[in-house]
Amino acid sequence: MNVTQALHEQGPSIWLDNITRSMLDTAEIQHYIDQYSVTGLTSNPSIFDKAIGSGDYDDAIRAKAAGGRRGEEPFFELAIEDLQRAADLFLPIHERTDGVDGWVSLEVSPLLAHDTQRTVAAAKALHARADRHNLFIKIPGTPEGLPAIEEAIASGVPVNVTLLFSADHYRAAADAYLRGVERRVQAGHDPAVGSVASVFMSRWDVAVQDTAPADLTDTLALAVGLDVYRAYREVMGSQRFQRLENAGARMQRLLWASTRTKDPAASDTLYVHGLAAPFTVNTMPDDTLKAFFDHGEIGVTLPSDGGESEAMLARFASAGVDVKALAAKLQSEGAKSFVASWNDLMERIDVQSKAVA
């Protein structure tokens, strides 16, 4: 048994945080499924921006430009084409796990982040266009995004909640998800709507790398992760969720995102072995996945009670780090970054469309 198989046996699901057309054409993603125990996939505008810039999509962009498609429309066509193929690769896993695993993700336009109704309409439309049961629509877990998450779940649209950074953010996302499921139960609809809550990790340590004491370097993200996992297990064990589970609902799974180590002095698998826990997902870019496959080690699984998270977070507070305020800042900056990446992607498609014309 290789180390990725061993990690999977320990409880976490391993997903790939990348997709390109060439990875589909060369069966690279299938290789990850077969050899690396990968059971799902996530994507974002930055990933597609880089992929489109590689030239892999020139022929497809030429055809769409000839048809008069501009801006967001050719992107969503390209992304849906790729994600449909990826969803089909993961469909056997999705069916074998009865919908627990085997998911792919597509993001709504971040330009809609402050418009709940348009976000919900876009989520429904994209999910219908993709026509795959195992496809999540990504909606940010910002204050403006929470009502859209509830509405999408109530409408039966599976959701990957993004841009979560703290236990408070996670609880708000879980509450929105549970409200949506409760509405489905009350309406007599199937409550088993898939969802994951994606908590971003590496940005925590980057944010304090120049201000935290040396002995706390690269420990804030893991401390926050422990705190989030405690909140997750508390929600899982709550009477509220257990009542819904009795009605046929599923738990919104916790997903660790942004797991590439940014500090060259730290382990390149820090946010993999350091966040291993049952009932979770870890989505990794290729280099992190390959590093873990090559030399990763299986650490101790996270304790359900949060372990030393309170003590660790207290040390950061003593060092002048306001964790709650930093979480809000990271979420706000993340939302702005998503918009910037989206605009870069739209510009990239426009440039490529003109270049191949």
Side-chain angles (χ1 to χ4, degrees):
M1 181 182 296
N2 64 48
V3 69
T4 51
Q5 288 175 312
L7 180 66
H8 182 76
E9 291 295 319
Q10 199 175 42
S13 293
I14 300 171
W15 290 6
L16 176 69
D17 189 27
N18 195 15
I19 184 172
T20 67
R21 191 151 293 188
S22 63
M23 292 174 70
L24 291 162
D25 292 341
T26 62
E28 185 176 0
I29 292 177
Q30 186 64 58
H31 172 70
Y32 286 142
I33 294 172
D34 295 338
Q35 301 299 322
Y36 288 65
S37 303
V38 168
T39 57
L41 177 148
T42 52
S43 67
N44 60 54
S46 295
I47 287 172
F48 278 109
D49 183 35
K50 183 178 179 181
I52 289 170
S54 71
D56 284 350
Y57 295 80
D58 284 358
D59 290 342
I61 290 174
R62 182 182 293 109
K64 296 182 191 307
R69 271 92 87 199
R70 293 291 186 273
E72 292 185 356
E73 185 56 29
F75 162 69
F76 279 121
E77 289 187 10
L78 292 169
I80 287 173
E81 289 166 4
D82 284 1
L83 289 168
Q84 284 175 326
R85 293 174 62 185
D88 292 343
L89 290 178
F90 287 106
L91 184 59
I93 296 170
H94 189 72
E95 293 177 338
R96 186 177 72 245
T97 60
D98 193 25
V100 172
D101 226 327
W103 293 90
V104 302
S105 298
L106 173 65
E107 195 154 358
V108 297
S109 168
L111 302 181
L112 305 178
H114 300 290
D115 191 325
T116 298
Q117 294 307 314
R118 290 178 66 196
T119 296
V120 172
K124 292 179 180 178
L126 288 173
H127 194 260
R129 282 179 62 182
D131 192 28
R132 295 296 187 273
H133 296 299
N134 56 329
L135 182 138
F136 284 131
I137 299 298
K138 297 176 78 172
I139 300 176
T142 57
E144 300 87 355
L146 295 174
I149 293 163
E150 175 187 343
E151 191 63 37
I153 293 297
S155 301
V157 176
V159 175
N160 178 342
V161 182
T162 65
L163 278 182
L164 305 177
F165 286 90
S166 67
D168 286 343
H169 289 173
Y170 162 71
R171 291 187 188 96
D175 183 59
Y177 169 71
L178 293 174
R179 288 198 307 268
V181 173
E182 286 165 346
R183 288 170 56 183
R184 292 188 65 79
V185 171
Q186 292 167 3
H189 298 150
D190 183 2
V193 181
S195 183
V196 292
S198 297
V199 182
F200 288 42
M201 301 312 302
S202 65
R203 298 184 190 188
W204 280 104
D205 290 328
V206 171
V208 298
Q209 63 184 358
D210 296 325
T211 57
D215 63 329
L216 293 178
T217 299
D218 296 321
T219 62
L220 179 54
L222 297 183
V224 169
L226 273 170
D227 193 37
V228 172
Y229 188 64
R230 173 176 56 187
Y232 175 55
R233 294 299 294 264
E234 287 172 352
V235 172
M236 288 181 67
S238 68
Q239 292 184 12
R240 181 185 185 187
F241 172 66
Q242 289 173 358
R243 285 194 297 270
L244 291 172
E245 189 175 36
N246 288 338
R250 291 247 176 96
M251 186 62 195
Q252 179 189 52
R253 296 176 79 196
L254 178 62
L255 181 149
W256 306 117
S258 187
T259 57
R260 177 189 281 117
T261 307
K262 303 301 193 295
D263 181 359
S267 166
D268 54 4
T269 65
L270 176 65
Y271 306 118
V272 182
H273 67 255
L275 294 167
F279 317 115
T280 63
V281 179
N282 195 310
T283 185
M284 313 175 203
D286 301 61
D287 52 356
T288 302
L289 175 63
K290 291 177 179 177
F292 188 75
F293 183 83
D294 177 67
H295 53 261
E297 297 179 355
I298 305 297
V300 178
T301 57
L302 298 184
S304 60
D305 63 358
E308 298 181 355
S309 60
E310 286 190 9
M312 288 296 297
L313 294 175
R315 292 183 65 192
F316 277 96
S318 297
V321 178
D322 186 334
V323 174
K324 186 173 183 178
L326 182 54
K329 179 184 178 183
L330 290 172
Q331 189 177 68
S332 176
E333 291 177 346
K336 292 176 183 176
S337 175
F338 276 17
V339 170
S341 295
W342 185 263
N343 290 335
D344 288 345
L345 174 59
M346 295 303 105
E347 182 178 354
R348 172 83 68 179
I349 292 176
D350 183 58
V351 169
Q352 292 292 94
S353 296
K354 293 175 180 176
V356 301

